[in-house]
């Protein structure tokens, strides 16, 4: 019964992630740099929706930490710092959504 709502949620989530990555990459270009593409490996998980969501939670926590590091490295670039901080906020919302969903699914 959760399938359609989960697919819709994760499709929106993926769109948010792509937009944030694009905005940060374009800011790096505007500042004269070359954005570096990093491929994140999805770790194996148990064959269950809850297991999958646990992996996503772990990846959101990693993304939040990376956004915080980028914000700290932004130096005097207010625009880059704001983009990084906005990404942290967005990933925090995604993390909250996942935590709410996993409680509903396991409860």
């Amino acid at each position: 019964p959760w399938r359609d709502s989960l697919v819709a949620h994760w499709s929106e989530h993926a769109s948010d992630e792509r937009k944030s990555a694009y905005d940060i990459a374009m800011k790096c270009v505007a500042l004269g740099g070359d954005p570096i593409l990093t491929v994140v490996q999805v770790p194996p998980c148990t064959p269950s929706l809850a297991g999958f969501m646990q992996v996503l939670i772990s990846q959101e926590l990693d993304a939040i930490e990376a956004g915080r590091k980028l914000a700290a490295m932004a130096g005097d670039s207010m625009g880059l710092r704001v983009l990084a901080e906005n990404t942290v906020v967005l990933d925090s919302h995604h993390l909250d959504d996942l935590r709410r969903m996993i409680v509903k699914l396991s409860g």
Side-chain angles (χ1 to χ4, degrees):
W2 288 83
R3 182 176 181 200
D4 291 341
S5 63
L6 290 175
V7 169
H9 176 81
W10 283 326
S11 294
E12 182 180 335
H13 173 113
S15 177
D16 291 343
E17 298 287 349
R18 281 191 304 274
K19 183 178 180 327
S20 290
Y22 178 81
D23 290 347
I24 289 173
M26 291 301 99
K27 180 54 80 174
C28 290
V29 169
L31 293 171
D34 291 317
I36 299 170
L37 176 65
T38 302
V39 177
V40 177
Q41 296 299 318
V42 178
C45 65
T46 59
S48 69
L49 188 54
F52 176 65
M53 292 176 77
Q54 284 288 53
V55 168
L56 291 176
I57 286 170
S58 174
Q59 290 184 305
E60 288 295 354
L61 289 169
D62 291 346
I64 290 167
E65 181 59 27
R68 288 179 177 150
K69 286 180 181 176
L70 178 59
M73 291 187 306
D76 292 336
S77 176
M78 180 65 75
L80 182 58
R81 184 171 41 256
V82 167
L83 285 173
E85 289 170 352
N86 286 345
T87 299
V88 169
V89 170
L90 181 63
D91 286 330
S92 296
H93 288 297
H94 291 161
L95 178 61
D96 292 343
D97 290 343
L98 286 165
R99 286 179 172 160
R100 278 191 297 276
M101 285 179 172
I102 201 167
V103 166
K104 288 179 182 178
L105 289 173
S106 59

